[in-house]
Amino acid sequence: QLAPLDLRALDVSHNKLSSMAELALLLKAMQSLEILLLHRNPCYQTDDAKTRVKWLAAHGAYFTPITQPLKVLCGAVIEVYELCEAADGDKRFTKANIEEIRLKLVLKRRDRRGAKRAAFDVDADGGKVVTQLDMSGCKFQSLVALYRLPQQLVMLDCRDNEITSIDADVFSRLTLLEHLDLRNNMFGSLKALLHTLRDCCPALVTLNIEHATKHKKETAGNSNYHIKVCRVLRQLHEVDGMRNPFGAQALTFKPGGGGGDGGDAAGGGGGGAGGKGGHRPGATKHHATRLAATRRGRTMKIRDDPRGGARDAPPP
């Protein structure tokens, strides 16, 4: 075993190291070691996902995922999910412990671009509280661990995980949440998800939910899922970059009014003698058309039903 050394980086690549366990034992004294190059050794011949997790498990036997000093292994940032997978076979931790550890790592570590995953603010008592949290790509299966966070969370990024449901008890505490990203997850029911968000997150204004369900076609970009979302969550301003046509932000064009040649196709603009789009007798039954710009330059039309409510406009 080596004497304690204050090394930040170590390159032992292209050698004849044959045992991960022996190497981990030698390196456990290096409490400040953040960068390790280990490739091209008999014990680390290929830098694939399986080999990385195997090394982290061997080295992690002398640490916990929280106290693990390594941040970069063979040129790549060590991800949160890699540390948790390495701890999965460790008898010191239960699955519940690992989910709590996963959240603590998100609060502590940076993402692969070097950006902090958490943003903090100061509360009235002078303490630090989390206001923005990036949990993306960490292989979370649930959000129960969020119950330990303060209620001041405003932005939550949960994309690219394996989350199957939202716990109402957790989200009912997040009354200040304004921005939520749930893309690329495994939710079982879009309807149940939307009803939970409606009941628990009154301040929510932007939602990203594309491919968030187990059945990907349900929230695919060409499935018009955003209509279902907007009908339930009327307070939203945007869904996956599209403005909410049912909310306060929608722009409404009403029939009638003056017009000249080339009046609005909805019946609004144009006027004067011979106006093509102006108000005419019997036009009181015309529907108001609301237009909302969507992604990729498309336009969606929603017509108000005179019997109440709103329905999709027929294709032109």
Side-chain angles (χ1 to χ4, degrees):
Q1 180 178 340
L2 296 176
L5 296 173
D6 191 22
L7 289 179
R8 299 287 299 277
L10 177 63
D11 185 354
V12 292
S13 59
H14 297 272
N15 279 290
K16 298 181 180 180
L17 302 172
S18 59
S19 173
M20 282 190 180
E22 291 179 2
L23 180 59
L25 179 61
L26 289 172
L27 299 184
K28 76 173 187 177
M30 299 182 185
Q31 303 288 329
S32 302
L33 186 64
E34 296 182 353
I35 302 172
L36 177 64
L37 301 180
L38 189 57
H39 50 281
R40 299 297 178 89
N41 278 284
C43 67
Y44 201 103
Q45 295 183 2
T46 57
D47 186 34
D48 55 18
K50 185 176 180 180
T51 306
R52 288 174 64 86
V53 171
K54 186 177 180 181
W55 161 253
L56 290 172
H59 193 237
Y62 304 103
F63 301 93
T64 69
I66 303 298
T67 60
Q68 167 69 266
L70 281 179
K71 296 180 180 178
V72 177
L73 177 61
C74 295
V77 173
I78 298 173
E79 299 286 351
V80 169
Y81 71 85
E82 290 180 315
L83 290 169
C84 292
E85 286 181 6
D88 193 32
D90 194 323
K91 295 181 180 180
R92 293 177 295 172
F93 310 111
T94 64
K95 291 198 173 189
N97 293 148
I98 291 176
E99 287 303 298
E100 293 179 6
I101 288 171
R102 201 182 301 270
L103 180 58
K104 290 179 180 179
L105 288 171
V106 167
L107 294 172
K108 180 181 178 181
R109 289 195 167 236
R110 296 174 181 262
D111 63 16
R112 66 182 62 185
R113 299 166 298 178
K116 290 183 178 180
R117 287 183 173 271
F120 298 87
D121 203 349
V122 180
D123 61 14
D125 299 326
K128 290 174 63 176
V129 293
V130 182
T131 56
Q132 300 181 32
L133 189 60
D134 180 0
M135 301 168 60
S136 62
C138 294
K139 295 192 178 181
F140 279 92
Q141 296 182 354
S142 72
L143 297 175
V144 175
L146 287 176
Y147 194 78
R148 296 180 177 273
L149 290 181
Q151 302 178 10
Q152 289 85 348
L153 201 62
V154 175
M155 190 281 290
L156 180 60
D157 186 348
C158 297
R159 70 184 188 276
D160 302 325
N161 280 292
E162 301 170 1
I163 305 169
T164 57
S165 64
I166 279 186
D167 193 316
D169 292 336
V170 173
F171 270 74
S172 61
R173 300 174 65 254
L174 304 180
T175 56
L176 301 180
L177 187 65
E178 297 180 1
H179 311 284
L180 178 62
D181 194 335
L182 297 174
R183 288 173 291 174
N184 300 317
N185 274 286
M186 300 291 289
F187 290 100
S189 169
L190 177 61
K191 181 179 179 181
L193 172 62
L194 296 180
H195 287 178
T196 301
L197 293 177
R198 179 194 62 191
D199 297 338
C200 298
C201 303
L204 196 63
V205 294
T206 63
L207 176 65
N208 292 324
I209 202 172
E210 188 172 14
H211 295 137
T213 53
K214 185 176 181 180
H215 302 289
K216 299 303 179 185
K217 290 184 179 180
E218 188 177 19
T219 48
N222 59 354
S223 66
N224 285 332
Y225 66 90
H226 42 270
I227 301 294
K228 298 178 183 178
V229 175
C230 292
R231 279 178 174 153
V232 176
L233 303 177
R234 298 281 177 133
Q235 82 276 16
L236 289 180
H237 292 185
E238 289 186 358
V239 178
D240 284 305
M242 188 203 76
R243 292 181 65 185
N244 186 354
F246 301 108
Q249 301 296 315
L251 186 61
T252 303
F253 298 91
K254 294 183 178 179
D261 290 339
D264 189 281
K276 295 181 181 179
H279 183 75
R280 62 185 185 276
T284 56
K285 294 183 180 180
H286 282 196
H287 303 300
T289 301
R290 293 184 291 183
L291 305 178
T294 68
R295 297 176 302 163
R296 308 181 188 92
R298 295 178 299 169
T299 298
M300 181 183 67
K301 295 184 178 181
I302 304 297
R303 298 200 308 175
D304 288 329
D305 195 319
R307 294 169 294 182
R311 59 189 180 89
D312 299 356

